[in-house]
Structures are given as structure tokens and as C-alpha cells.
Amino acid sequence: MNWIGSDYQLLKQAINHSVLNQKVISHNLSNIDTPNFKAKQAVFEQTLQSEMRLKLQDGRPSDSTQSTVVDRAGGAMRSDGNNVDLDYEMSELARNQLQYEAMMEQLNRRLGGLKSVIRGGR
């Protein structure tokens, strides 16, 4: 049951981050023509790294790992004050989709293993 308490929590939090990231990217794309709009990004990787260190030390992550949405630094500012870059957003969208699919596949595989154990290997 250790997997349910630790790896599952991290995987669940990473999937939740991916869902939030999808929303942020979609929001950026929907505001591509909005004057003075500043692109946002969801930040989770640094938090995940610190949680992984805690897991190695304590054997379990905290339940409070959260994604945060911040203004994205950098990027070319257009004359209307908007810094949304269509190519960047589309590549982030594709990267996020691949990560989400990989995490869901891993979750399904692990839950399938638990299901097999519950059924007695049948």
C-alpha cells in the first residue's frame, strides 16, 4: 500500500498540473489578440523536484504540492503590449499533451497491477 500513499499522490498531482497547464495554454491562445495581455505559465517542476527529495528522505510526499500560475518571463513584446507567441504555445500544448498521455498510461498500468493483485492474479 506504500505505492498508493506516495507514488500515487505524486502522479495525481502531476496529472492535475497537466490539466491546469492545458487551461493556461488555452487561455493564452484565446487572448493572442488581446492588447496588453501577458502570457501565463503553470509552474510545478521545481515543487515536484523538492517533493521527490522529501520522498527520498521521509518515504512519502506531502499532500500540499500545488501548481502555481505566474506571468511568463521573456518573450517578444508586440507593439500592442501582448507577448503571446503562437508557435511557443502550440509546442507547449503538444509537449503537455504527450506528458499527460504518458502519466495516464503509467497510472492505468499501475492500477491494472493492483486490480490483478486484488483479483488474485486472474
Side-chain angles (χ1 to χ4, degrees):
M1 285 300 185
N2 188 26
W3 180 82
I4 294 294
S6 61
D7 291 351
Y8 174 76
Q9 287 298 326
L10 285 175
L11 191 54
K12 182 176 90 170
Q13 291 164 352
I15 290 169
N16 287 340
H17 167 72
S18 185
V19 170
L20 175 63
N21 201 28
Q22 174 77 21
K23 290 177 184 177
V24 170
I25 294 167
S26 296
H27 183 69
N28 288 345
L29 288 169
S30 68
N31 284 286
I32 198 163
D33 292 323
T34 304
N36 298 313
F37 179 80
K38 305 298 183 256
K40 309 280 189 250
Q41 71 182 42
V43 180
F44 180 69
E45 282 76 16
Q46 294 97 351
T47 307
L48 180 61
Q49 289 174 1
S50 66
E51 285 296 317
M52 291 302 290
R53 280 192 293 276
L54 278 177
K55 182 182 174 199
L56 290 173
Q57 293 169 358
D58 299 341
R60 61 184 175 85
S62 73
D63 292 333
S64 63
T65 305
Q66 297 289 325
S67 298
T68 56
V69 178
V70 298
D71 287 338
R72 187 173 55 232
M77 190 70 66
R78 299 187 323 229
S79 61
D80 66 355
N82 187 309
N83 70 340
V84 177
D85 178 347
L86 179 62
D87 292 333
Y88 177 82
E89 298 298 334
M90 294 306 289
S91 68
E92 285 298 298
L93 192 63
R95 183 183 65 79
N96 189 62
Q97 181 65 32
L98 290 171
Q99 286 180 337
Y100 177 82
E101 289 173 3
M103 289 182 290
M104 289 303 294
E105 184 177 318
Q106 182 178 9
L107 178 63
N108 286 331
R109 197 174 318 123
R110 295 213 177 177
L111 290 176
L114 287 175
K115 190 176 181 180
S116 176
V117 168
I118 291 169
R119 289 184 177 168
R122 290 178 254 156

